[in-house]
Amino acid sequence: MAEIVKINIDGIALEVTKGTSILDAAKSVNVKIPTLCYHEDLCVAGNCRVCVVEVEGRKNLVASCAAPAEQGMVIKTTTPKVRRARTDIISLLVSEHNTQCTTCYRSTNCELQSLAAEYNVDSERYLSVLKPNIQVDKSSYSIEKDDSKCVRCQRCVRTCAELQHVNAITVAHKGRDMKISTFMELPMNEVVCVNCGQCVTHCPTGALTERRYYHEIWEAIGDPDKHVVINTAPSVRVALGEMLGYPVGTRVTGKMVTALKKIGFDSVLDTDFTADLTIIEEGHEFLQRVTKALKHKEKVALPMITSCSPGWVKFIEHMYPDHLDHLSPCKSPHQMFGALTKTFYAQKIGVDPSKIVSVAAMPCAAKKFEANRPEMKSSGYQDVDAGLTTREIGQMIKQSGLDFVNLPDSNYDSYMGESSGAAVIFGATGGVMEAALRTVYEVVTGREVPFKNLAITPVRGLEGIKEATIKLENVVPEYSFLEGAEVKVAIAHGLKNARVIMDQIKNGTSPYLFIEIMACPGGCIGGGGQPIPTNDEIRKKRIAAIYAEDEGMPIRKSHEVPEIKKIYETYLEKPLGHKSHELLHTHYKKRNRY
Amino acid sequence: MTETKELVKKLADKYGRARESLMPILQGVIEEERFVSSEAMTEIARELDIASAEVYGTATFYSFLDTQPRGKYVIRVCKTITCDMHGKKKVIEKIEDLLKIKLGETTQDKKFTLLTTNCLGWCHQGPVMLINSTPYPSLDENKVTEIIMDYMSK
Amino acid sequence: MENLKRVDLIFGAYTNEKYKVLESTLKKSSEQIITEMINSGLKGRGGAGFLTGLKWKFTAQESEPTKYVVCNADEGEPGTFKDREILTKVPRKVFSGMAICGKAIGAKKGYMYLRGEYQYLLPDLMAELDVYHEHAKRFNHDFTIEIRMGSGAYICGEESALFESIEGKRGEPRNKPPYPTVSGVFSKPTVINNVETFVNAVMIMKYGAEEFKKLGTSDSRGSKVFSISGDTPKAGIHELELGMTLADFVAEFGDGDTKAVQVGGASGFCVPRKKFNETIIGFEGVPTGGSMMLFNSSRSMYNVLHNYLDFFEEESCGQCTPCRVGCQQLLKGIHAVKKGEKPSSYLNQLLQLSDTMKITAKCGLGQSVANSFSSIVENFKEEMIY
Ligand SMILES: Cc1cc2nc3c(=O)[nH]c(=O)nc-3n(C[C@H](O)[C@H](O)[C@H](O)COP(=O)(O)O)c2cc1C
Ligand code: SF4
Ligand code: SF4
Ligand code: SF4
Ligand code: SF4
Ligand code: FES
Ligand code: FES
């Protein structure tokens, strides 16, 4: 039974369970204490000391994020002593900082900047101790690292270690030389970083950002010779609004499409189209493997694991290079999109593919790297010219001067603009699995999945690893060998959880047949390219928006989308066919773990 | 297997492969090679099944776990207060003179590296220096010359 | 000399039979040992001065079955070298003390964390450890001791940083609470004591709390091993009773021209000549882990402070803002004032900063920079400016 302690914060008496931090206790009575190194997703570090408060009877101030409330504590959060100390600490951070807010990508969305403004610190208070000659590391396609803007809060390091189990970055050296570093201070593109961008969304400042490509896209849009196509991922539409004046969890699909058209994209398409295509391809791949294994007793790699999260793909390439055969061969949806844009689409609209610039609007930082993988050239060109994050799209809309809130809604263009609700839910953890089950179950049994409103609830939600078992009964004759079979599936999000799943596979103890893995906690809605901040509360709201979007769709299953049926009839021939292999599938590379 | 790899493996066999063995293993590498090379760190990461970045982060925290190549004899002269008061500067200058290197450098023949360090716990007999792990207290120019000459002939 | 009492407790000769005190103490119950320790009033010799008996008691009370004893032999405080001397001369007493603590709290394993700078001591210590383990076995005392080495990081003397280091990590101090008695090394209840504290424990077991209490004052029981250095003809190790005035101390150890004494190392206080009479060495006055550095009038206190700040700026672990940036600012600041780039009033701002560091830094290092900073700047302001 949890013990209750009585405390008093700024004159408010309250009771909290023992062990609650002073910060959380204060939050519960709407007393806001400033923080910097604290992040809801991460373990408490207590190193910035911005959150200090006064506890009656103690000479020293107390870091409220790290100190548990104790019986009888009388806490004051805004005494002159506290204010002076906080001002001093923020001034110290500024004195170590390359304060270039006017040109900084994180300006107006930076925790140091708002703290410094809130406390109105004097930038001249202390001498500058900014290290000279700091070079910005722009080696990675996805992540830019600028140590001159780092406040050493270690949020990135904790993210990479705790949430992602990658440990591409670490705290190195000590004292005045302490800094965030890679192994041997190597450039980011030479280390095990999987480009997930989680460190970016957890960084309070402009020290870690995604590498931006929108300048090039503006140029391309302005070039009359270029045909610029953009496809937008499902998670973008439920998060973009956060940057443009909407509350968290607002769907802005129609306005986003209008804005992109007004910005001058020649065609605004929906990544959902290839998400549906992924389901068809991946679903058939799965059935093919199961058939081989169960019917023909052949040796195939099972469980099969989804491959639509490029951060996850690079993770398995580094960490489990001997188990790449478990990965579905499908490219991530936007890469399929890119390949089709410069082939199928180009043909349809009669434009020379060399003139097409294909852009992907993604919740993701890893897609930037993926777009630049050498094997992603199945159209004969670089399939995707640029992967932009939700944040970059938001930035472009701001730059365009559009009055976003008052824009009318529009529909996606075609071709490749139609899609199902199954594709929309790709954005949330469990969504790919749910979409796949909606289709696979129907293929095998001829009936809809037995869940109310098609909502396969066991695979939904924010639990790190989710499981579900689907029993197959009264199957169609082709799949008679599956009669009565129980298909056990799992869903993991956040690479920490992926490790658990992979260790089972490595040890030969995995009970599953099919697994969905997403690199980012919460799935794409919590992606490394999404608006900052992201935390569980925000993730939940974005997820709710995703499922609402699904429910509002006339078509809820991938295999029922007319345009999908049509592309198989007219272009791709059949799932897993020759053209699919050429355009929609890829192969993987063993990478170094250390 | 290279020598370094073998060394790391031997140390891991000796100290075990848990995280808590990291320091003893790093110290063991220093003992043999005087610095922890990139190769050594990668190998340690592999043996202990931790990220190489973590090995690097840990090693760079400790000033005796050099990640830069060092000479066979690493000289560390105490620069803290009482040694400073009692002539550490002269001692350093003398060594610089003898070895023809500046503070922080390694001799061409990779035999000596000259560094400073913080209080060595011989304040009553400063200035003092460590050569690898051996302390030499009560230094003056004559004494340090003698000691260095002795090492030079080793 | 009459005002200073020399003692020969710590370095006194070993008993004739090896590990005799340990053997007899093992016959006592855990409660008896702890009560005796509490009665002695012994306070930790590592600097912070927490009551050792209480620390043992808290740890003994924890229900978690796995517990550890840790001996802090990281001695890195500038001007301190007494633990080295103890480990050189009477290591048997240190191991005995750890083993007694193991009995008191119910631990089966002890670690000695020895600073890398003292690696040369290792062969002798290992040899003595073999002797210890032989005897522990003979006494049926299930308590083994392992020596772990540091590698040149002063902050690893801070207890939680030391635990991190034993665990194979960067020596970054942890948040407190939880305290070591609840969650120490490997997150288990842990007693961590200084080398000298363990020796004192053995002496208390040998002579009894009452005898021990006859030494020192009510706030500062027992004797203390002092590391004396700087401008003194008698530099070295001296075991003295606690509670003397600094004036008496200077009369004995000064060179006749002492202008200031730094009590407690770089993280301690600088006492100027005019305060020698009123300053008592002990927990009731200026506490010290044993470091006493004397400065005569030929010394520039600016240089002294500069040297300290240089030390802190390097040896801070760097994780928390007030300490990491604060140390750099203090150093850069006094330099700027000295060169005339900042007005002398900037020193007041730096004093305020050092105060912020004292009340906001995460661990004792950052919190104690203000001790030497303010005591030097306030007492020797003119030396800072001109
Ligand atoms: C920066 C810093 C360095 C310290 N270094 C040492 C040390 O070298 N030896 C030591 O015994 N205690 C040191 N301490 C104190 C320890 O944290 C701890 O209080 C002590 O080991 C407890 O033992 P005691 O109660 O026997 O004194 C240090 C504390 C700080 C903050
Ligand atoms: S990181 Fe923040 S404080 Fe620093 S320059 Fe950018 S916006 Fe300004
Ligand atoms: S992008 Fe992901 S893997 Fe790379 S450093 Fe950041 S958190 Fe780690
Ligand atoms: S890079 Fe960002 S998250 Fe990482 S320590 Fe610096 S400011 Fe914090
Ligand atoms: S006060 Fe200094 S040494 Fe202590 S935690 Fe903070 S930065 Fe590290
Ligand atoms: S938010 Fe509490 S110390 Fe950083
Ligand atoms: S000051 Fe040099 S050994 Fe202590």
Side-chain angles (χ1 to χ4, degrees):
Chain A
M1 207 179 58
E3 205 179 314
I4 300 289
V5 293
K6 289 186 176 161
I7 59 171
N8 186 299
I9 301 180
D10 291 346
I12 308 168
L14 67 152
E15 294 186 351
V16 293
T17 47
K18 198 177 169 175
T20 309
S21 71
I22 294 176
L23 182 71
D24 285 340
K27 216 177 274 173
S28 74
V29 288
N30 290 325
V31 172
K32 187 178 164 252
I33 299 172
T35 57
L36 187 60
C37 67
Y38 175 82
H39 194 289
E40 293 90 337
D41 287 349
L42 306 172
C43 79
V44 171
N47 60 32
C48 75
R49 316 307 281 179
V50 166
C51 69
V52 287
V53 296
E54 204 170 334
V55 174
E56 217 172 79
R58 296 199 194 177
K59 266 193 290 184
N60 288 355
L61 301 180
V62 166
S64 60
C65 68
E70 286 164 26
Q71 178 60 31
M73 266 186 177
V74 177
I75 296 150
K76 300 221 164 65
T77 72
T78 54
T79 62
K81 187 171 166 183
V82 167
R83 271 196 55 85
R84 269 201 308 273
R86 281 188 198 151
T87 309
D88 241 356
I89 290 169
I90 299 163
S91 307
L92 289 176
L93 286 168
V94 170
S95 79
E96 195 188 31
H97 195 82
N98 178 18
T99 313
Q100 291 189 328
C101 301
T102 45
T103 53
C104 182
Y105 185 51
R106 280 295 292 276
S107 194
T108 72
N109 181 24
C110 167
E111 293 180 40
L112 177 64
Q113 190 187 45
S114 37
L115 279 172
E118 252 169 59
Y119 281 76
N120 196 14
V121 300
D122 173 3
S123 62
E124 305 285 299
R125 186 177 176 89
Y126 295 115
L127 299 159
S128 169
V129 290
L130 172 65
K131 300 270 170 320
N133 311 321
I134 294 177
Q135 298 289 322
V136 182
D137 179 354
K138 297 190 181 190
S139 63
S140 157
Y141 285 118
S142 296
I143 311 291
E144 259 183 49
K145 180 166 172 280
D146 180 356
D147 292 342
S148 73
K149 291 181 183 162
C150 173
V151 295
R152 277 103 166 146
C153 65
Q154 306 191 19
R155 269 157 59 163
C156 53
V157 176
R158 281 178 281 151
T159 301
C160 196
E162 289 168 28
L163 302 181
Q164 302 300 63
H165 278 209
V166 174
N167 291 295
I169 43 178
T170 182
V171 188
H173 306 283
K174 69 167 181 291
R176 58 162 182 245
D177 298 325
M178 182 273 226
K179 61 180 281 198
I180 307 303
S181 164
T182 55
F183 176 59
M184 294 300 282
E185 334 255 331
L186 287 170
M188 285 293 276
N189 68 336
E190 290 178 31
V191 299
V192 293
C193 169
V194 305
N195 303 306
C196 67
Q198 284 300 312
C199 53
V200 173
T201 52
H202 288 80
C203 177
T205 69
L208 285 166
T209 52
E210 72 273 34
R211 184 159 154 194
R212 273 91 63 199
Y213 294 87
Y214 57 74
H215 296 295
E216 287 87 329
I217 301 309
W218 277 118
E219 290 298 320
I221 289 172
D223 183 342
D225 275 351
K226 294 266 155 68
H227 181 87
V228 190
V229 185
I230 188 165
N231 65 90
T232 71
S235 307
V236 177
R237 67 201 67 173
V238 299
L240 180 66
E242 291 165 35
M243 294 183 71
L244 300 163
Y246 282 100
V248 179
T250 314
R251 292 178 278 150
V252 295
T253 320
K255 289 189 198 304
M256 171 183 74
V257 174
T258 309
L260 293 172
K261 286 183 181 175
K262 285 197 182 275
I263 279 174
F265 285 98
D266 294 298
S267 191
V268 180
L269 303 174
D270 197 347
T271 322
D272 288 3
F273 175 76
T274 39
D276 281 324
L277 209 50
T278 302
I279 290 302
I280 306 295
E281 290 288 323
E282 212 155 72
H284 279 88
E285 171 77 20
F286 173 66
L287 285 172
Q288 194 179 68
R289 287 196 196 192
V290 172
T291 309
K292 277 186 187 162
L294 298 182
K295 194 167 169 194
H296 307 302
K297 309 289 175 210
E298 280 175 43
K299 235 179 115 52
V300 289
L302 280 171
M304 188 178 92
I305 314 176
T306 59
S307 57
C308 25
S309 167
W312 149 242
V313 168
K314 191 157 183 266
F315 180 85
I316 184 174
E317 289 180 328
H318 281 293
M319 307 291 172
Y320 299 91
D322 297 335
H323 298 86
L324 294 176
D325 52 350
H326 287 271
L327 275 184
S328 146
C330 290
K331 290 178 183 172
S332 75
H334 87 107
Q335 288 296 152
M336 292 191 180
F337 212 103
L340 287 175
T341 304
K342 294 194 181 178
T343 52
F344 170 74
Y345 173 88
Q347 217 175 36
K348 281 279 183 199
I349 61 162
V351 175
D352 179 352
S354 71
K355 300 221 155 65
I356 295 183
V357 175
S358 88
V359 182
M362 296 288 130
C364 183
K367 303 229 161 73
K368 293 171 185 288
F369 167 81
E370 189 188 26
N372 286 289
R373 286 177 75 122
E375 61 273 23
M376 293 298 179
K377 291 195 166 74
S378 31
S379 60
Y381 304 89
Q382 179 168 329
D383 295 338
V384 177
D385 292 288
L388 303 184
T389 59
T390 309
R391 296 189 292 269
E392 285 172 278
I393 298 294
Q395 192 85 354
M396 285 182 84
I397 293 174
K398 285 182 190 170
Q399 289 168 0
S400 70
L402 290 169
D403 178 9
F404 189 77
V405 180
N406 291 315
L407 288 180
D409 287 351
S410 343
N411 289 327
Y412 284 103
D413 294 320
S414 76
Y415 303 86
M416 309 203 289
E418 264 180 27
S419 62
S420 74
V424 172
I425 59 174
F426 262 57
T429 164
V432 179
M433 181 58 71
E434 182 166 344
L437 290 176
R438 285 183 193 172
T439 291
V440 169
Y441 189 89
E442 212 164 306
V443 171
V444 175
T445 67
R447 299 184 308 277
E448 281 196 344
V449 280
F451 286 91
K452 186 170 170 231
N453 218 354
L454 295 181
I456 309 181
T457 42
V459 304
R460 297 186 177 187
L462 277 179
E463 210 178 310
I465 295 178
K466 291 165 286 187
E467 285 187 345
T469 307
I470 307 287
K471 193 157 183 179
L472 300 172
E473 283 169 318
N474 300 325
V475 299
V476 298
E478 192 192 342
Y479 290 103
S480 57
F481 62 95
L482 284 174
E483 182 61 43
E486 292 195 339
V487 178
K488 216 166 172 186
V489 302
I491 296 101
H493 57 117
L495 294 171
K496 162 183 78 176
N497 298 314
R499 251 207 211 279
V500 178
I501 296 281
M502 285 314 294
D503 285 340
Q504 288 175 339
I505 292 179
K506 201 169 153 184
N507 303 334
T509 57
S510 179
Y512 311 114
L513 279 181
F514 192 17
I515 300 170
E516 173 203 303
I517 295 182
M518 293 289 160
C520 293
C524 304
I525 52 92
Q530 291 285 61
I532 302 170
T534 298
N535 56 34
D536 271 351
E537 206 184 307
I538 293 173
R539 287 186 189 98
K540 279 184 195 142
K541 288 186 180 160
R542 290 182 192 154
I543 288 176
I546 284 266
Y547 288 121
E549 183 102 352
D550 168 34
E551 290 210 6
M553 300 282 283
I555 302 171
R556 307 274 307 282
K557 293 173 271 182
S558 302
H559 55 275
E560 289 176 356
V561 177
E563 219 187 331
I564 292 281
K565 291 187 191 159
K566 208 152 155 213
I567 197 171
Y568 277 111
E569 282 161 20
T570 63
Y571 190 74
L572 292 172
E573 292 150 24
K574 60 172 203 262
L576 311 183
H578 170 71
K579 264 234 153 52
S580 297
H581 279 300
E582 200 176 289
L583 295 176
L584 311 182
H585 295 192
T586 183
H587 51 91
Y588 306 105
K589 182 177 153 184
K590 290 190 181 199
R591 292 176 197 269
N592 207 332
R593 170 149 189 198
Y594 298 98
Chain B
M1 255 207 277
T2 65
E3 249 171 70
T4 302
K5 278 191 178 152
E6 254 169 73
L7 171 66
V8 169
K9 185 169 180 308
K10 204 181 76 197
L11 290 164
D13 286 340
K14 178 170 173 196
Y15 294 111
R17 286 168 170 77
R19 175 70 194 245
E20 57 168 306
S21 311
L22 180 54
M23 290 285 286
I25 293 173
L26 285 167
Q27 287 158 349
V29 172
I30 291 282
E31 192 76 29
E32 291 297 319
E33 306 194 334
R34 309 271 43 118
F35 86 111
V36 207
S37 59
S38 165
E39 187 194 2
M41 282 188 271
T42 312
E43 214 41 44
I44 294 171
R46 201 187 309 278
E47 290 289 348
L48 267 51
D49 196 19
I50 54 178
S52 50
E54 276 192 82
V55 179
Y56 179 73
T58 307
T60 54
F61 188 85
Y62 298 93
S63 53
F64 287 7
L65 301 178
D66 290 302
T67 53
Q68 301 297 319
R70 300 291 189 217
K72 185 168 169 212
Y73 301 109
V74 182
I75 307 168
R76 295 174 205 268
V77 183
C78 171
K79 66 176 162 72
T80 309
I81 187 67
T82 47
C83 292
D84 184 59
M85 285 159 56
H86 292 131
K88 67 120 213 267
K89 192 157 166 254
K90 282 214 174 97
V91 169
I92 292 173
E93 281 166 5
K94 190 77 220 174
I95 302 174
E96 287 180 333
D97 210 38
L98 288 166
L99 298 177
K100 315 227 163 359
I101 51 172
K102 291 260 158 277
L103 196 59
E105 292 176 352
T106 300
T107 52
Q108 289 250 303
D109 61 1
K110 304 260 180 331
K111 197 158 175 189
F112 293 95
T113 301
L114 176 61
L115 305 169
T116 54
T117 188
N118 284 319
C119 181
L120 288 168
W122 289 87
C123 324
H124 57 318
Q125 293 178 30
V128 52
M129 67 178 174
L130 278 182
I131 298 185
N132 293 348
S133 58
T134 312
Y136 293 93
S138 308
L139 297 176
D140 56 26
E141 282 165 277
N142 290 335
K143 194 168 167 194
V144 82
T145 307
E146 226 173 85
I147 296 164
I148 298 292
M149 295 300 250
D150 195 35
Y151 272 93
M152 283 167 95
S153 65
K154 274 191 195 176
Chain C
M1 189 66 227
E2 58 276 18
N3 290 327
L4 285 187
K5 271 202 264 166
R6 300 233 174 217
V7 195
D8 202 12
L9 200 59
I10 303 294
F11 293 106
Y14 286 148
T15 47
N16 290 334
E17 272 174 63
K18 288 176 182 166
Y19 291 95
K20 186 81 190 135
V21 181
L22 174 61
E23 186 177 15
S24 56
T25 307
L26 288 175
K27 298 194 177 103
K28 296 182 188 166
S29 71
S30 156
E31 291 74 31
Q32 281 172 321
I33 298 173
I34 289 174
T35 310
E36 192 80 7
M37 287 296 292
I38 292 176
N39 287 344
S40 75
L42 172 65
K43 288 182 180 170
R45 300 306 196 215
F50 193 79
L51 282 163
T52 308
L54 273 189
K55 197 187 266 189
W56 291 20
K57 184 176 163 191
F58 292 153
T59 313
Q61 281 167 350
E62 285 297 316
S63 55
E64 160 68 44
T66 309
K67 296 172 187 176
Y68 294 103
V69 176
V70 176
C71 174
N72 189 340
D74 194 50
E75 190 169 56
E77 188 63 51
T80 316
F81 40 94
K82 47 112 186 163
D83 291 341
R84 186 176 54 73
E85 193 83 357
I86 294 173
L87 291 167
T88 308
K89 297 204 168 130
V90 290
R92 186 170 300 165
K93 295 187 186 177
V94 182
F95 295 142
S96 296
M98 292 175 70
I100 289 168
C101 179
K103 163 87 186 183
I105 66 166
K108 293 192 165 56
K109 171 119 195 183
Y111 291 98
M112 172 178 281
Y113 187 87
L114 183 67
R115 70 189 302 224
E117 289 82 344
Y118 295 170
Q119 200 196 330
Y120 77 101
L121 289 174
L122 202 54
D124 286 353
L125 287 174
M126 294 301 270
E128 179 57 40
L129 207 50
D130 286 342
V131 179
Y132 161 76
H133 281 131
E134 235 170 70
H135 283 79
K137 203 164 170 192
R138 205 158 58 72
F139 305 152
N140 266 327
H141 185 37
D142 181 9
F143 183 80
T144 55
I145 296 174
E146 193 181 317
I147 300 178
R148 291 291 179 91
M149 299 296 303
S151 269
Y154 163 68
I155 188 58
C156 288
E158 196 281 338
E159 52 200 24
S160 62
L162 187 152
F163 301 148
E164 291 285 303
S165 185
I166 290 185
E167 293 176 17
K169 302 179 199 146
R170 296 167 54 83
E172 292 185 0
R174 301 173 182 168
N175 289 306
K176 284 182 221 168
Y179 293 96
T181 52
V182 177
S183 176
V185 72
F186 301 115
S187 307
K188 302 291 182 198
T190 303
V191 163
I192 176 165
N193 277 127
N194 176 253
V195 170
E196 188 184 348
T197 311
F198 282 119
V199 177
N200 271 300
V202 177
M203 293 302 112
I204 291 163
M205 293 303 125
K206 183 172 176 185
Y207 298 110
E210 288 312 311
E211 278 301 305
F212 182 82
K213 268 162 63 177
K214 286 183 187 155
L215 292 171
T217 62
S218 61
D219 277 334
S220 310
R221 298 288 184 200
S223 69
K224 179 85 194 80
V225 181
F226 285 88
S227 315
I228 299 168
S229 66
D231 296 316
T232 163
K234 295 180 183 167
I237 295 291
H238 300 269
E239 188 176 347
L240 307 168
E241 213 181 314
L242 282 167
M244 66 202 146
T245 68
L246 198 51
D248 288 336
F249 177 86
V250 170
E252 171 71 13
F253 293 100
D255 62 356
D257 185 24
T258 308
K259 112 168 142 183
V261 181
Q262 180 79 19
V263 183
S267 56
F269 294 84
C270 184
V271 185
R273 185 184 292 150
K274 60 176 186 281
K275 293 185 185 158
F276 286 171
N277 275 323
E278 65 198 61
T279 304
I280 293 185
I281 306 302
F283 296 109
E284 61 269 64
V286 185
T288 171
S291 165
M292 305 291 277
M293 293 187 279
L294 293 87
F295 304 110
N296 69 20
S297 52
S298 75
R299 304 296 172 188
S300 150
M301 295 313 286
Y302 171 83
N303 286 348
V304 171
L305 181 59
H306 195 286
N307 190 283
Y308 291 165
L309 290 172
D310 201 44
F311 173 83
F312 287 128
E313 185 194 69
E314 267 177 35
E315 295 294 342
S316 147
C317 81
Q319 68 166 315
C320 79
T321 313
C323 175
R324 179 189 65 250
V325 195
C327 290
Q328 296 177 59
Q329 287 297 350
L330 295 180
L331 182 58
K332 204 163 178 175
I334 60 163
H335 193 75
V337 171
K338 190 81 177 174
K339 290 185 80 182
E341 291 161 5
K342 280 274 181 188
S344 55
S345 60
Y346 191 59
L347 288 174
N348 294 331
Q349 198 168 319
L350 295 179
L351 282 169
Q352 194 203 311
L353 170 59
S354 75
D355 199 47
T356 298
M357 291 167 69
K358 187 189 207 115
I359 60 174
T360 62
K362 183 167 175 177
C363 86
L365 189 150
Q367 290 163 7
S368 57
V369 172
N371 297 349
S372 51
F373 187 83
S374 60
S375 58
I376 293 178
V377 169
E378 277 164 3
N379 290 308
F380 301 95
K381 203 160 207 163
E382 59 307 332
E383 289 192 38
M384 298 299 122
I385 302 168
Y386 306 109

